[in-house]
Amino acid sequence: MSPLIFDLCMEYLSRLLKAAGDHANFKFHPRCNRLKLNHLCFADNFMIFCRGELASVRILLDHLEIFAKSSGLVANSSKSDVCLAGIATSLKQHIVDSCNIPLGFMPFRYSGVLLSSKRLSAVECERLATNMTSKVLKQVNGIFRAYLWHGKTNSDVPGNMNWTRVRTPKKVGGLCIRNLKVWNLVAVGKLV
């Protein structure tokens, strides 16, 4: 139930940020203006974009505050950065002070891939997709294990049997649970 509730919260946050983009004084980042894009989300990671001006930043912060008050969820400032470019140093400092989030720098790494305003190469895209897939499969495997041994979707308590042995056939003492990494590889292979 918890992942579903989290998805509903992220949908609410996404709608709030879309509403921020509809505000009369909000200005999109120049590279995002055509698409009217002001945020991207993957799992519990959010990237929020706007033009480097105080009015747009304040509109986003107001909408994030609405989300925090209604959901109880707030951004972890120690894991967040504000990346700014092409604006005066005094304005940069004013924006950083308004956000109460440290100044970060571009390019930065996300799931092992260097992100910048340039297009990703095919190799970088493949690495990013592979990293994301393995993170998701690891989380699903964790849910499998926790549910199998404890009847819950999240538990750090070790199970009664080694997970490698659990995946072996029943004839040799396993439970014949599929290896999700191999299963995913086969499913993707069928698309080709």
Side-chain angles (χ1 to χ4, degrees), residues 97-121:
D97 291 343
S98 295
C99 296
N100 200 21
I101 295 173
L103 182 63
F105 300 96
M106 291 286 283
F108 60 90
R109 291 198 175 274
Y110 178 74
S111 285
V113 175
L114 197 63
L115 295 185
S116 69
S117 58
K118 297 176 183 161
R119 285 189 173 193
L120 293 177
S121 69

Side-chain angles (χ1 to χ4, degrees), residues 72-141:
L73 299 173
V74 293
N76 184 340
S77 59
S78 67
K79 293 183 178 180
S80 303
D81 290 329
V82 175
C83 297
L84 302 163
I87 60 175
T89 307
S90 60
L91 181 57
K92 275 186 186 182
Q93 192 56 49
H94 202 57
I95 290 173
V96 169
D97 291 343
S98 295
C99 296
N100 200 21
I101 295 173
L103 182 63
F105 300 96
M106 291 286 283
F108 60 90
R109 291 198 175 274
Y110 178 74
S111 285
V113 175
L114 197 63
L115 295 185
S116 69
S117 58
K118 297 176 183 161
R119 285 189 173 193
L120 293 177
S121 69
V123 172
E124 291 167 328
C125 286
E126 186 176 333
R127 187 179 309 135
L128 185 61
T130 302
N131 287 347
M132 288 180 177
T133 302
S134 39
K135 278 184 182 179
V136 170
L137 290 177
K138 187 176 179 180
Q139 287 177 332
V140 172
N141 263 331

Side-chain angles (χ1 to χ4, degrees), residues 4 24 56 58 62-64 76 84-85 87 99 114 126 136 159-162 179 187:
L4 177 60
S56 296
R58 282 198 174 131
D62 289 345
H63 283 74
L64 288 173
N76 184 340
L84 302 163
I87 60 175
C99 296
L114 197 63
E126 186 176 333
V136 170
N160 301 336
M161 186 187 302
N162 183 310
N179 181 334

Side-chain angles (χ1 to χ4, degrees), residues 2 23 49 52 56 81 95 121 124 129 139 152-153 181 186:
S2 181
H23 193 282
F49 319 102
S56 296
D81 290 329
I95 290 173
S121 69
E124 291 167 328
Q139 287 177 332
K152 303 176 190 172
T153 57
K181 195 170 186 177
V186 171

Side-chain angles (χ1 to χ4, degrees), residues 38-50:
N38 67 356
H39 69 283
L40 292 173
C41 172
F42 177 74
D44 60 349
N45 296 311
F46 250 86
M47 295 177 78
I48 303 173
F49 319 102
C50 71

